[in-house]
Amino acid sequence: MHKIIPLDAVARSRPASDRGSGCGATSCGSSSGAGALPPDVWDKVKDHPCYSQEAHHFFARMHVAVAPACNIQCHYCNRKYDCANESRPGVVSERLTPAQATRKALWVAAKVPQLSVVGIAGPGDALADPARTFETCARIADVLPDIKLCLSTNGLALPECVDAIKAHAIDHVTVTVNALDPAVAERIYAWVACSRKRLKGRDAARLLIERQLQGLEMLVAAGVLVKVNSVMIPGINVAHLREVNAELRARGVFLHNIMPLISDPAHGTHFGLTGQRGPTPAELQSLHEGLAGGANLMKHCRQCRADAVGLLGEDRGGSFGLDRLPATPEVDHESRRAYRAVIDRERRHREAATAKAEAMLANVNTEDRRLIAVCTKGSGRINQHFGHAREFQIYEVDRSGVRLAGHRRAGRYCQGGYGEDDALESVIALLEGVTTVLCARIGRCPRDRLATAGIRAIDDHAHEYIEAAVARVFVDEHETAAKAVRTA
Ligand code: CLF
Ligand code: SF4
């Protein structure tokens, strides 16, 4: 019934200028700014915290958990919990009706001026029961026209839904593709439902891949920005993800997000119970490095919940529970517009500061490359106390520029007035490979302990833009080292 689309057929049939979003290896993707993308694409991504790395400093997303059903079974998922394709496994969301979801979106928009995107990412698959998903999208678009709609799917039901996706002006769709080779995919999925039957093994894997590719091509052809998530599963698909990444680039996928498998026996998943491990941060980084030149990589994903609310990395979902949902939330559209105007100004200043910093870096005569950790609460600035950081953003810097390399989650060191020694030791272990930490403030004890571990903590750049401060520190450290060599 289903025809397999050969992996290389579409890429070959498309003119070279159309391939890979029509972009060079470094010209587009999540880290790109206004000048590097066609204006219509920039317009779609500029306020989307997942599709634009820059936007994630300023804009928030919320998920509405309106999609309870699923049509496949992934080995990393336990149906008692949410869909692990686009959310952290092991968490349970409050399921909402489309009407409740709309009220919740209004409520969050009223309280969180940064809100720019509403996504549907579970708790099951967003397209397994498309009527609920599209009803929710239509209702939200009606009352919040400044909000972008986004959804995430395993792709099985995607081909039939592309017309509805376009009709509802959903510009961003994530498809989870863990493998393009059925022999690899059959080790990741237990079954796939088709025409009221459950397929298993290679037939199931083949059908799912075929539907994912067909849907993905239809979306790209329809001008929808496609992000592909792949769960990185050591021993199963790690080497294969290189082929997947290259194929995605050839097919015009905007962004490839490789998410580390989270596997915990307590979640009761097949992988959790059979001892399948997830990758280490070093393995993920090495895979990222090996994919340079392929489809653009997303490196700022936080594997959020299906009911997440807030900036990526913060989760305010607990403050917006169903039990407190107002009957008629009121949104002040004027103050939302004012927030956007402030952000536009802030972005221009940040861009200018980054350009200046990059010019300064280009003059440094070194092949050195460093990892610098940053404590930030958002806005693209160094604005968090070291002791309050629950995660560190890791920036890579060399003479060619400053790039986000990822983030590392930490236990908070400061426990209400005193420092927790064990937490500090885990933070130090977590910062392996990092030479410097930039924060808004740090006490003497942790600063000294970090220094003993070979990590310099600096709080002289509090409230400065991240890229500018990272570049300044790199240049200063290089100049100090060069001077020491000259005077030796
Ligand atoms: Fe949600 Fe996903 Fe849309 Fe973002 S999340 S549906 S694209 S609005 Fe973002 Fe969260 Fe990572 Fe997803 S950080 S898990 S990539
Ligand atoms: Fe679970 Fe999502 Fe996979 Fe369905 S698609 S089995 S909900 S992880």
Side-chain angles (χ1 to χ4, degrees), residues 9 19 36 44 49 72 109 131 161 181 186 188 196 207 218 282 356-357 465 483:
R19 294 179 197 159
K44 284 179 186 165
I72 69 171
C161 294
D181 178 350
E186 71 173 333
I188 301 174
R196 298 178 186 273
L207 173 68
M218 291 169 73
K356 212 162 137 193
Y465 293 116
K483 199 164 156 197

Side-chain angles (χ1 to χ4, degrees), residues 360-382:
M360 188 167 69
L361 280 175
N363 289 325
V364 177
N365 183 19
T366 177
E367 293 311 311
D368 197 13
R369 178 179 147 264
R370 293 190 182 188
L371 292 181
I372 293 187
V374 165
C375 301
T376 177
K377 292 187 286 187
S379 304
R381 293 177 186 264
I382 294 159

Side-chain angles (χ1 to χ4, degrees), residues 315-367:
D315 190 0
R316 299 172 62 182
S319 313
F320 294 94
L322 203 48
D323 53 334
R324 281 184 282 162
L325 181 60
T328 50
E330 296 223 353
V331 181
D332 178 352
H333 292 281
E334 193 42 55
S335 63
R336 288 181 56 76
R337 272 194 288 277
Y339 177 80
R340 302 260 173 140
V342 169
I343 294 309
D344 280 349
R345 204 168 52 235
E346 183 70 0
R347 279 178 131 161
R348 282 196 299 276
H349 292 165
R350 184 166 179 266
E351 217 171 281
T354 303
K356 212 162 137 193
E358 291 191 337
M360 188 167 69
L361 280 175
N363 289 325
V364 177
N365 183 19
T366 177
E367 293 311 311

Side-chain angles (χ1 to χ4, degrees), residues 174-187:
T174 297
V175 188
T176 298
V177 179
N178 297 314
L180 292 173
D181 178 350
V184 178
E186 71 173 333
R187 299 174 66 194

